[in-house]
Amino acid sequence: MINLGISILIGLVAFAVFAVIFSPFAAIVPFVIAFLAAYIVLTNRAMKQVGAISAQAQKEMQAQRFDKAIETFKRGFALEKRQLLVGPLMHANLGTLLYAKGDFAAARPHLEKSNRWGPVTRTMLGANYAVLRAMLACDHFRNRKYDEMRATFETAVKQGKKDGLIWSLYAYCLSKIGDREGAMKVLGRAADANPNDEKIKANQLALQNNKRMKMKAYTPQFYQFHIEPPPPEMGGAGRRVVWQRR
């Protein structure tokens, strides 16, 4: 927000100068040019700082120093008031990391705040937005907030229409709470959006035959949503599952 304010101020200075020398009408274009130039420069400067923070956090994660990665991402909030959208981006990173780490209570507010700017956030985060919403939906599932779970999963599949795992997670959670019919409808929508996805077809067939859905096909990503503990070959229930980007 600070960068936006500074850019507007620079634009107004340009407007005032040209309005005095020429006319208010002639000052409109200089205002726009000055505003955009200032905002682009200031935004690039801020995003370079964000990039440096993210790169450092990634190094910490690769070294399995997750607590340090969390603290590194938190430093990004110092830029939240300076640059638009930095806040949701930092919340998204922290929410994902804390959730994958298994600290659900700490992850929850970050997952919620990552959606602060709505459509703008969806565009900025792209496919990761669907993952964030699915994590929050799974958190609602664990806390038996099933209405919130359904609503949040709907936003997840809307963004991740081509992501079979997100659809299958939605259906799986519905089947776990006894809503087999709802799960079938979700998989039907998933199949319409992904007609060549064999994993979705296999899960449709499993539900039709009153069998459990085959979520192991989505290993290891499925276990990063903490709906079920990983199998023994992945370290069992005691193993910490760390988020892997697909």
Side-chain angles (χ1 to χ4, degrees), residues 67-240:
D67 289 337
K68 287 189 176 181
I70 290 168
E71 292 305 314
T72 301
F73 276 130
K74 285 181 178 179
R75 294 208 309 267
F77 287 116
L79 298 169
E80 183 176 14
K81 293 182 179 180
R82 177 165 293 278
Q83 180 60 44
L84 289 171
L85 300 179
V86 168
L89 181 60
M90 290 298 107
H91 283 300
N93 285 320
L94 274 170
T96 301
L97 183 54
L98 287 165
Y99 188 95
K101 186 172 176 281
D103 194 347
F104 307 123
R108 190 176 305 121
H110 292 294
L111 293 173
E112 291 171 343
K113 291 177 182 178
S114 68
N115 192 41
R116 182 180 297 171
W117 290 86
V120 178
T121 304
R122 289 199 296 271
T123 301
M124 177 181 66
L125 295 175
N128 288 333
Y129 178 82
V131 172
L132 288 162
R133 302 306 288 171
M135 284 181 168
L136 183 58
C138 290
D139 186 66
H140 290 320
F141 167 79
R142 275 193 310 277
N143 289 297
R144 299 183 180 183
K145 296 180 179 180
Y146 300 134
D147 289 340
E148 290 91 335
M149 178 198 78
R150 288 183 173 91
T152 307
F153 262 129
E154 284 296 330
T155 63
V157 296
K158 182 177 180 180
Q159 181 71 13
K161 290 181 180 179
K162 297 299 181 180
D163 193 330
L165 172 57
I166 303 299
W167 284 105
S168 293
L169 274 170
Y170 188 3
Y172 184 76
C173 288
L174 289 174
S175 69
K176 292 286 284 185
I177 63 175
D179 188 1
R180 183 176 293 270
E181 182 179 352
M184 286 293 297
K185 288 180 179 178
V186 166
L187 288 178
R189 292 163 57 196
D192 289 341
N194 302 274
N196 298 319
D197 192 319
E198 296 301 324
K199 296 176 184 177
I200 290 174
K201 292 178 182 178
N203 279 327
Q204 278 186 300
L205 183 61
L207 286 182
Q208 287 170 358
N209 293 325
N210 292 318
K211 295 181 179 179
R212 285 171 54 88
M213 291 176 60
K214 301 175 181 178
M215 299 304 291
K216 286 185 178 180
Y218 295 104
T219 301
Q221 286 82 11
F222 168 66
Y223 297 106
Q224 295 165 340
F225 288 89
H226 295 280
I227 296 299
E228 288 186 358
E233 59 267 25
M234 290 183 62
R239 175 167 176 166
R240 177 183 294 172

